[in-house]
Amino acid sequence: MAYKAPGKHFREGLSTRQFFQRFPDDKTAEAWFIKQRWPEAVCCPYCGVTNVQIGCKHKTMPFRCREKECGKHFSIKTGTFMQSSKIGYQNWLYAFYLFATNLKSVSSMKLHRELGITQKSAWHMAHRIRQAWNLDPEQRFWGPVEVDETWFGGKRKNMPKKKRSQLEGHGPVGKTAVVGVKDRKANRVSAQVVEDTTKETLQGFVQDRIDPDAAVYTDDSSSYASLDNHESVRHSQLEYVRGSVHTNGVESLWSMLKRAYTGTFHQLSERHLHRYVGEFVGRHNMRELGTLAQMSLVADRAIGQRLRYQDLVS
Ligand SMILES: [Zn+2]
């Protein structure tokens, strides 16, 4: 049934038609979520017992813990980022599906239209899913690695004059810096939003994430000079590749993000940029997994995470 998705690697795909055949309603989608989280037996998220009553008459919470001291009602949404969400199971799962099948990501406008939910709910939903996509296990990189930085956001001319002058001489005005690494051997990436691109910040990132014995390739920004095991290409002299010395791998992460920025999101606010960056790091690190496998991973990562609407706007 599964088709071969385009691309170098074999990925187990799932067409939209297959999705709706498999999950025709909230009941089937809910059953999938339950199986993902509790493959053996439904487990109380409050006290951890499996002595649970199933199929209670409660409106939204079909489970009740039978443990005397606990006795709480719960649903599969309890203790996940879906907690207290009124959005139905099929819509949640379809949103996971859309994120897994759109390489340039999904805008909240698209979720709003496709799911028939309000724009506000769609925006909140998108950020919760996006946060769960960040598959960056904070592990060390053994190299060889490419390290590079890039800038996102704000145009100088759209900025109040006062702010503009404050930022003078601190890199591209009003933009936010992101530094990233790609491990060539493991083909994994990581990236994070940083305050600035000074030597201290960039070398701090390298020291935190990269083994001291790893070969490091960068461009010729002076911030990287003096790193150990380090070689650079002279972008300032239009040299982009010299043998194995280049940063093309990590730059392709930037171009994915920038294509999504212009093609899908149209704007990225600085305060949410880290979540978009995390999503694209996850997209790279999960790219060989099939559609359903990616959806399960996101469902796993929904557990224990909350991202309330107030947290996003305050
Ligand atoms: Zn309990």
Side-chain angles (χ1 to χ4, degrees):
M1 281 281 281
Y3 67 94
K4 190 177 183 320
K8 264 198 294 199
H9 305 286
F10 179 81
R11 278 189 68 238
E12 193 88 19
L14 186 73
S15 68
T16 310
R17 195 186 162 83
Q18 288 168 333
F19 175 90
F20 284 107
Q21 273 167 357
R22 192 161 171 168
F23 306 108
D25 49 30
D26 279 336
K27 207 92 223 109
T28 43
E30 182 187 11
W32 183 87
F33 278 113
I34 293 169
K35 198 97 193 131
Q36 290 299 309
R37 185 172 178 186
W38 298 308
E40 308 294 334
V42 174
C43 182
C44 172
Y46 297 101
C47 71
V49 299
T50 50
N51 183 15
V52 166
Q53 183 193 345
I54 291 168
C56 307
K57 285 226 164 73
H58 193 283
K59 219 168 144 196
T60 54
M61 307 216 201
F63 308 118
R64 195 182 67 83
C65 181
R66 282 204 179 100
E67 213 54 27
K68 243 199 187 126
E69 273 86 72
C70 180
K72 289 197 168 86
H73 278 277
F74 60 93
S75 77
I76 185 66
K77 288 178 178 174
T78 308
T80 74
F81 66 43
M82 298 184 284
Q83 186 163 327
S84 53
S85 158
K86 291 192 182 73
I87 297 167
Y89 291 106
Q90 191 196 36
N91 260 348
W92 269 109
L93 195 53
Y94 187 47
F96 284 22
Y97 173 79
L98 290 173
F99 268 81
T101 49
N102 285 277
L103 297 181
K104 286 198 281 182
S105 191
V106 183
S107 68
S108 55
M109 274 310 283
K110 184 171 165 103
L111 288 183
H112 157 62
R113 286 192 306 260
E114 291 267 327
L115 273 47
I117 58 178
T118 67
Q119 230 177 304
K120 185 176 155 181
S121 301
W123 183 77
H124 184 200
M125 185 187 212
H127 275 298
R128 282 178 280 179
I129 298 175
R130 183 160 291 131
Q131 176 152 299
W133 264 89
N134 182 7
L135 193 77
D136 176 9
E138 300 264 327
Q139 63 186 18
R140 271 183 104 62
F141 290 78
W142 302 96
V145 297
E146 301 171 17
V147 178
D148 191 31
E149 76 286 347
T150 191
W151 300 88
F152 284 92
K155 286 203 173 68
R156 182 189 207 135
K157 63 175 172 24
N158 298 331
M159 198 175 278
K161 212 172 175 185
K162 193 166 167 225
K163 184 145 193 223
R164 228 185 293 166
S165 62
Q166 282 169 351
L167 290 161
E168 218 67 60
H170 292 270
V173 173
K175 292 186 178 246
T176 308
V178 178
V179 58
V181 51
K182 179 181 179 186
D183 190 303
R184 282 193 194 156
K185 213 169 189 174
N187 197 1
R188 291 183 75 82
V189 297
S190 175
Q192 71 185 60
V193 174
V194 284
E195 287 279 303
D196 52 49
T197 55
T198 58
K199 185 172 165 179
E200 218 180 357
T201 303
L202 295 183
Q203 297 207 6
F205 174 81
V206 169
Q207 274 150 16
D208 281 352
R209 305 302 307 274
I210 299 159
D211 186 78
D213 290 331
V216 180
Y217 302 117
T218 69
D219 63 20
D220 53 350
S221 151
S222 61
S223 298
Y224 298 112
S226 80
L227 275 173
D228 291 334
N229 309 314
H230 168 241
E231 284 189 80
S232 60
V233 275
R234 290 175 291 261
H235 281 183
S236 54
Q237 288 167 42
L238 302 177
E239 178 193 62
Y240 292 96
V241 180
R242 191 176 69 252
S244 60
V245 187
H246 62 79
T247 54
N248 294 348
V250 63
E251 279 169 39
S252 76
L253 176 67
W254 305 149
S255 59
M256 288 291 287
L257 244 167
K258 285 180 180 181
R259 269 199 301 259
Y261 169 54
T262 46
T264 308
F265 308 127
H266 309 297
Q267 54 171 354
L268 289 180
S269 99
E270 189 187 330
R271 58 185 299 199
H272 302 301
L273 179 63
H274 64 283
R275 247 174 259 115
Y276 292 95
V277 170
E279 177 190 346
F280 277 84
V281 163
R283 286 189 177 282
H284 179 92
N285 294 337
M286 285 198 243
R287 76 207 170 284
E288 285 175 40
L289 294 178
T291 303
L292 272 167
Q294 291 185 348
M295 289 158 66
S296 331
L297 219 56
V298 175
D300 279 352
R301 296 169 56 80
I303 301 164
Q305 278 208 46
R306 291 300 295 276
L307 184 62
R308 293 171 315 159
Y309 187 78
Q310 300 93 283
D311 302 331
L312 283 167
V313 293
S314 64

